[in-house]
Amino acid sequence: MFVGTTEAATLLQVCARRVRRWLEEGRIQGARKIARAWVIPLYKGQPRVKKGTRGPKPRWATQPHCANYNIHINRHNIAYNKKHQTTEKPVVSVKRGSRNLAKGSEVEIHGPSRLVYQPNKPLDCGATVWIETFAELTVYDVEGMPIALDPRWVLEPG
């Protein structure tokens, strides 16, 4: 998986300017410049940064970063649809954090993803199984109409 300088700065919890300086110094392993943009590979969810020769030891976060999208399956809507023999309620939810971005009956993931099962550490909504991805998604609603989601264009609240 690859990210840009701003996403790498968010993952490392440093400013984007510092990431650009590390790129100029060649300290981020595997990074390449394509036209005017940097492409930074991720290893276990983090960019690899070589140690510097001076200054304090690095203190950036080493915990894995959550994905742009979490895909949930709503079992209550499945039970409702089965009981009433209908498909009117959408059973798939695409979320970022606690914010619902789209609901539908089908999701197409255009890139790598992972299925997560954490019964001892559920998400805020109570989900213990979900799919995480940084890739672009296409969500199809109950009528079969596509809704495209692109992580570069979905704005964060605030």
Side-chain angles (χ1 to χ4, degrees), residues 19-149:
V19 172
R20 286 188 206 101
R21 180 188 289 162
W22 289 340
L23 289 166
E24 291 167 2
E25 295 171 357
R27 288 182 52 194
I28 298 183
Q29 296 177 4
R32 280 191 259 147
K33 193 167 190 177
I34 299 175
R36 293 176 51 191
W38 283 95
V39 178
I40 302 169
L42 297 179
Y43 302 95
K44 296 182 181 178
Q46 295 280 329
R48 278 193 187 162
V49 181
K50 294 178 188 174
K51 290 183 180 180
T53 57
R54 297 176 39 179
K57 293 184 178 182
R59 296 184 310 218
W60 53 74
T62 57
Q63 71 271 12
H65 189 265
C66 62
N68 273 354
Y69 299 116
N70 289 332
I71 302 167
H72 299 258
I73 309 300
N74 189 329
R75 64 185 178 91
H76 301 292
N77 286 359
I78 292 172
Y80 178 89
N81 288 344
K82 185 175 181 181
K83 181 179 179 181
H84 295 92
Q85 296 179 351
T86 182
T87 59
E88 69 182 54
K89 290 209 175 207
V91 297
V92 178
S93 298
V94 178
K95 297 183 178 188
R96 176 181 285 163
S98 61
R99 183 174 158 218
N100 258 336
L101 299 177
K103 291 184 177 184
S105 61
E106 184 179 340
V107 175
E108 187 176 345
I109 303 171
H110 306 286
S113 62
R114 70 180 189 155
L115 180 69
V116 179
Y117 172 59
Q118 292 183 350
N120 298 332
K121 190 178 175 187
L123 294 179
D124 295 338
C125 63
T128 57
V129 178
W130 63 91
I131 299 171
E132 292 183 347
T133 184
F134 282 104
E136 183 178 343
L137 302 175
T138 304
V139 180
Y140 297 93
D141 62 10
V142 291
E143 287 88 29
M145 300 299 296
I147 306 167
L149 295 177

